[in-house]
Amino acid sequence: MNHHTSKIVSLVLFLSVLIISCKKNDPAPLGAQANAKFLAGETGKSKSWKLREFTVQQGSSAAQTVTLPGCFSDNLYTFTNNDSQDYAATEGTSKCNTSDPDAIESGTWAFTLDGLTLNIEVDNTQTPNGLFSSEIYVEVDANNAITAIYNGGYTPYPAGVKKIDDNNLILEINATRGSSVYKYTLTFTPV
């Protein structure tokens, strides 16, 4: 190979490497897309979660872990990764009131593009024990055990995503009732 031919071959190889290295890579998925798979599974699938821990912090006071009675801790919160992004909460095997229907609430869900906020729009509430029907209000007894979760008739608040992966979902909901500010931290585990 003569000197001129080797320069041409070197130039062609260099340009080929340059073109290949400049090729656009597929963009990284948005936070919403990645978190949708953690929350609801692959496209066309559903994933259910149970509430594992519930803490309440009023103002600047220390957060208090609230005891979950069986009628709350066995409820299922199911998110479906479909076009309408369906959400449904259903009673587990134990109910707080025997007359309560199996369905608690249902609606749709969506993440903000960055995946840091989860909005759950409930359009069908069957009992007052829904976590997302509207601003939540928790009543506890002297032992700090939940006796009721009420939708206070206030505007629903979005949930900040504190952690989400295949095995954990931690949401934070900030709410104001009168002059009091509450921070609810809800920790879920997959079923």
Side-chain angles (χ1 to χ4, degrees):
M1 194 184 304
N2 68 29
H3 181 67
H4 180 63
T5 305
S6 82
K7 278 186 172 180
I8 291 174
V9 168
S10 294
L11 182 62
V12 168
L13 286 172
F14 173 76
L15 289 175
S16 298
V17 168
L18 184 64
I19 289 170
I20 290 170
S21 67
C22 289
K23 181 184 172 196
K24 273 189 163 180
N25 293 331
D26 290 336
L30 296 171
Q33 294 169 323
N35 285 354
K37 289 181 182 177
F38 289 131
L39 179 71
E42 296 292 330
T43 302
K45 303 288 184 187
S46 293
K47 188 171 180 180
S48 295
W49 300 83
K50 284 187 180 182
L51 187 59
R52 178 175 77 218
E53 185 176 295
F54 191 107
T55 64
V56 179
Q57 179 180 3
Q58 182 178 2
S60 60
S61 64
Q64 299 290 316
T65 299
V66 179
T67 304
L68 295 170
C71 63
F72 286 104
S73 62
D74 68 353
N75 292 351
L76 293 178
Y77 303 90
T78 303
F79 298 87
T80 304
N81 194 350
N82 58 5
D83 289 341
S84 57
Q85 295 180 285
D86 296 319
Y87 158 74
T90 54
E91 289 283 355
T93 54
S94 62
K95 295 180 179 183
C96 295
N97 297 307
T98 55
S99 62
D100 284 347
D102 289 337
I104 297 170
E105 63 187 5
S106 61
T108 58
W109 62 271
F111 283 104
T112 52
L113 287 178
D114 59 11
L116 298 177
T117 303
L118 175 62
N119 291 296
I120 299 173
E121 183 69 34
V122 173
D123 54 21
N124 192 357
T125 303
Q126 289 81 22
T127 76
N129 295 328
L131 289 178
F132 303 106
S133 292
S134 61
E135 182 179 327
I136 59 178
Y137 179 69
V138 180
E139 284 187 2
V140 296
D141 63 17
N143 296 320
N144 213 27
I146 292 178
T147 56
I149 296 178
Y150 294 105
N151 57 22
Y154 295 90
T155 305
Y157 282 79
V161 178
K162 293 303 179 192
K163 182 176 184 179
I164 188 168
D165 59 33
D166 284 328
N167 299 307
N168 298 283
L169 173 61
I170 302 174
L171 301 176
E172 183 179 282
I173 299 173
N174 294 300
T176 303
R177 298 186 66 76
S179 61
S180 297
V181 177
Y182 294 88
K183 177 169 54 176
Y184 300 103
T185 304
L186 295 81
T187 303
F188 296 87
T189 189
V191 180

